[in-house]
Amino acid sequence: MPAASELAVAPGRSPQPVSASEAQARDEVARHFRATEQKSLLRVITCGSVDDGKSTLIGRLLYDSSALYDDELAGLARTGEGAIDLASLVDGLAAEREQGITIDVAYRFFSTRSRKFIIADTPGHEQYTRNMVTGASTADLAIILIDARKGVLPQTRRHSMLVNLLGIRELVLAVNKMDLIGHDEARFNAIVDAYRSFADTVGIARFTAIPMSGLNGENVIQPAQTMPWYRGRTLIDHLESVSAAAPPHDEPMRMAVQWVNRPDQDFRGYAGRIASGQVAVGDKVAVLPAGSRATVERIVTHDGDLARASAGQSVTLVFAEAVDCARGDHIVADAAVRTAPASALAATLVWMADAPLVPGRSYWLKTGTQMLTATIGAPHSVLDIEAMQARTAPTLGLNDIGEVEIELDRAVPRVLYSESRTLGGFILIDKLTNGTVAAGLIRSFPDRADARPPEAPGGAIEWIAPAWPGSDSWAQARSASFRSLGRPSILLDAPALRRGIAADVAQDAAGQEELLRRARAAAVLMCSAGMHVIVAIGATPEQAYPGRIIGEDPGADPQATDWVI
């Protein structure tokens, strides 16, 4: 009778004996998969400026570590000189190949004898910084590439600051293209010193510098014979030995409820992915923000019930008591309930949209598994990448990093980004376009007694009284300047009024007075809603109230950014 491993079973047919060699091959495959499952996983992101060689470096890692299938090898693109185009392994979009740049985030998996890797190739162009943030949000280690010919660039600093803000503490400074500078040790040391000076100013605690050539494979997998002065490890050796971010088992248990599992009237469970800590049958937990207490009766999974589950596992918790728990709520260890939920938070925002932030406007805020309405205040400060210091600004534009306070329409559990990258982060969504406009990191929860409401700019009224040659163009330019800053602004002139609320007003002296009356009423209503109203209908200074009067010599550039209260 053949062993079980030597039987082949086809659907609807009896087991058939297989050869010993085939059974041995199957056992080897099974052992391989079991061994792979037991390897630790490291999530890596490559970032830096344009043309620093990020895609080529990843292609070299995949090629030299034998992580490519035969069809991938056969389909590799070639450069004009006939060499393999390593970047084509990750630049898959047609636009990327046409322009020779990376646009979208590309994830590739490979493994070595000691570790598994998921490596993300992110774009270097400033306009695609939002894509880079997406890739960095789940990474354990960041490879910051620098072109040895160019040194530290603004985008290098921007990406380094972002990965530091996002909580990535393991950094590799890959000084690439050393072959193009004759493997000059002095140049390498100068770049490292410049980066260390920058790192000290932004709080980057440590980094590992490696000179390399991704194109030639020097110090990537194999040590470079061309740089005998470098005695450190190769990139792959460092990636295999660096400590991976361990699942946060020792932290308090936290889980955001994704789904109330109710298949029939006899079962009610709360499904989600455990973000941190561990939970066991019999543990006391709390449901936030309500604060209800319950006892874990069962931990249900697809493969059966568990006695204990930990961070990273997706489970359904069944309680011994009936409690009010819905999608978006947090289930936390009873001991982790420290303070009441908060409806205001202070956060760092990375603005990702072309349209600027509109202070005082409401956005959707998605954190964990819940969606909230959030009102964003004017930035307290905006980080100046060039000067490496905070500056004041009325709004946030594309790629700006700023500190803001946010009011929410309901209370949320107090989880900081420093405590949980999963539950302490959020995204902002424009309610009109449904586009993601910002990524946010929760830094603190202001006490309600001390919390300031969002600092939306107050409304204002400006009258052009009397008109002067060119005043119409001046008023249009001034209104446009406010809108370009994200501040609500409108121009009220006679044609606009007569097309709408003053369509029935006669064009005589009495009609002019009625036109002014309606203009004043409309301006006051719009001003009370926070809009900047510019009235240009030929009023006299006596008729122009309330608001600021701009006379024949305005004395100000129409592009001025002052905000009149």
Side-chain angles (χ1 to χ4, degrees), residues 43 45 133-141 162-169 245 248 251 254 275-276 367-368 415-426 440-442:
R43 300 176 185 271
I45 179 177
V133 173
T134 301
S137 61
T138 58
D140 305 313
L141 180 145
L162 285 172
V163 299
N164 189 50
L165 280 174
L166 291 167
I168 301 176
R169 298 294 174 253
E251 298 177 7
R254 297 188 185 93
S276 63
T367 175
V415 182
L416 303 178
Y417 187 80
S418 58
E419 298 171 333
S420 172
R421 291 175 69 182
T422 302
L423 302 180
F426 62 88
L441 320 173
I442 300 175

Side-chain angles (χ1 to χ4, degrees), residues 226-245:
T226 54
M227 292 178 277
W229 44 266
Y230 175 72
R231 297 178 177 83
R233 290 180 292 194
T234 63
L235 177 62
I236 195 64
D237 288 340
H238 180 76
L239 295 180
E240 287 182 325
S241 60
V242 71
S243 297

Side-chain angles (χ1 to χ4, degrees), residues 5-24:
S5 62
E6 298 176 355
L7 295 176
V9 182
R13 302 179 64 180
S14 301
Q16 300 295 319
V18 297
S19 65
S21 60
E22 186 175 351
Q24 181 180 3

